[in-house]
Amino acid sequence: MPVPPAPVELSDLAALKALGHPRRQRMLQHLTVHGPATSATLARALGLNTGSTSYHLRELARYGFVEETTAATGHGRQRWWRAVPGDLRFPPRSRQSAELRHVMDELNHHAYAADLELFEQVQLDTDEGDPWADAFPDSRGTIRLTLPELREFFEEYIALLNRYKRPEADTPPDARTVLTRLLAFPAPADDTTRTDNRKETRPS
């Protein structure tokens, strides 16, 4: 089993601004889901021009979010790019400046919207006879935790993801890339209603 990457906190304002650009987020999402691509491939897939995708790829590479790769087979002088894997963390809100908080809010807004759009589109595009048509498990629940327990809960979730990560050579041919998202937040402070350990789960 490969050693999981060490967490890296990203607090550089310029890097976060570069990452938060909506087109760059779409490009990163495409590279994450579909694997390495050229600027021309990204342009066709996202309805952009190659000059735009080339520029955004260079900006993402400047801050270490993408890198050139020889894993894909190119032709001629084509440059292939891949999303850089890792455990990227953001500084907690209490340590964010007003400007950094604004950038993070914009980044999260676009990221959540893109995730929801992709989730809905994949459901619509999946045929009923496709065995992956039922591969949309989700869970909504509530648990009562202290702040240290919530941090521990999050680290256990990351550890669970890492348990299932493996090299491409060890991945079965019928496996597909599965996107996972975790969103946890405290209930409003004035909410006196207790919902102890309630959960709503829809398995695959």
Side-chain angles (χ1 to χ4, degrees), residues 17 46 82 90 103 110 113 119 123 148 166 177 185 188 196 203:
K17 285 183 176 180
L46 303 177
R82 71 164 189 156
F90 300 110
V103 171
H110 291 297
F119 176 79
Q123 282 192 312
R166 56 195 164 191
T177 298
F185 52 93
D196 294 337

Side-chain angles (χ1 to χ4, degrees), residues 132-192:
W132 286 85
D134 293 331
F136 295 87
D138 68 86
S139 176
R140 298 175 71 237
T142 58
I143 48 179
R144 294 181 63 79
L145 301 172
T146 64
L147 196 53
E149 287 173 336
L150 179 57
R151 296 190 183 104
E152 183 179 355
F153 176 85
F154 175 74
E155 293 300 337
E156 289 185 8
Y157 167 77
I158 297 298
L160 178 62
L161 289 183
N162 287 328
R163 264 182 51 201
Y164 283 87
K165 290 182 179 180
R166 56 195 164 191
E168 189 64 31
D170 298 335
T171 302
D174 59 342
R176 287 179 57 174
T177 298
V178 175
L179 304 181
T180 61
R181 302 292 185 263
L182 170 66
L183 178 64
F185 52 93
D190 60 351
D191 184 1
T192 58

Side-chain angles (χ1 to χ4, degrees), residues 23 59 70 83 88 115-116 118 138 143 155 197 203:
R23 285 186 178 178
E59 286 298 294
T70 58
L88 190 63
D115 284 343
L116 182 58
L118 181 60
D138 68 86
I143 48 179
E155 293 300 337
N197 301 320

Side-chain angles (χ1 to χ4, degrees), residues 121-136 176:
Q121 190 60 51
V122 172
Q123 282 192 312
L124 290 173
D125 293 343
T126 303
D127 296 330
E128 291 185 6
D130 188 333
W132 286 85
D134 293 331
F136 295 87
R176 287 179 57 174

Side-chain angles (χ1 to χ4, degrees), residues 22-204:
R23 285 186 178 178
R24 292 170 194 162
Q25 288 200 24
R26 290 174 62 200
M27 291 166 63
L28 270 175
Q29 184 181 71
H30 189 280
L31 292 173
T32 300
V33 174
H34 301 287
T38 65
S39 60
T41 303
L42 289 169
R44 288 193 298 269
L46 303 177
L48 305 172
N49 62 68
T50 54
S52 176
T53 54
S54 293
Y55 167 73
H56 289 307
L57 282 169
R58 290 194 299 272
E59 286 298 294
L60 288 169
R62 177 183 176 187
Y63 295 102
F65 300 120
V66 303
E67 63 185 6
E68 287 192 65
T69 177
T70 58
T73 303
H75 300 279
R77 299 177 61 184
Q78 285 184 322
R79 301 171 70 182
W80 288 80
W81 301 86
R82 71 164 189 156
V84 175
D87 185 356
L88 190 63
R89 309 284 181 97
F90 300 110
R93 202 164 179 84
S94 60
R95 289 200 282 108
Q96 296 175 12
S97 66
E99 186 175 11
L100 182 59
R101 185 172 295 184
H102 174 73
V103 171
M104 285 299 307
D105 287 346
E106 285 293 305
L107 189 156
N108 288 329
H109 172 75
H110 291 297
Y112 296 153
D115 284 343
L116 182 58
E117 180 181 358
L118 181 60
F119 176 79
E120 293 176 341
Q121 190 60 51
V122 172
Q123 282 192 312
L124 290 173
D125 293 343
T126 303
D127 296 330
E128 291 185 6
D130 188 333
W132 286 85
D134 293 331
F136 295 87
D138 68 86
S139 176
R140 298 175 71 237
T142 58
I143 48 179
R144 294 181 63 79
L145 301 172
T146 64
L147 196 53
E149 287 173 336
L150 179 57
R151 296 190 183 104
E152 183 179 355
F153 176 85
F154 175 74
E155 293 300 337
E156 289 185 8
Y157 167 77
I158 297 298
L160 178 62
L161 289 183
N162 287 328
R163 264 182 51 201
Y164 283 87
K165 290 182 179 180
R166 56 195 164 191
E168 189 64 31
D170 298 335
T171 302
D174 59 342
R176 287 179 57 174
T177 298
V178 175
L179 304 181
T180 61
R181 302 292 185 263
L182 170 66
L183 178 64
F185 52 93
D190 60 351
D191 184 1
T192 58
T193 302
R194 291 195 174 192
T195 52
D196 294 337
N197 301 320
R198 187 176 56 139
K199 64 180 180 180
E200 302 169 11
T201 302
R202 183 169 60 203
S204 60

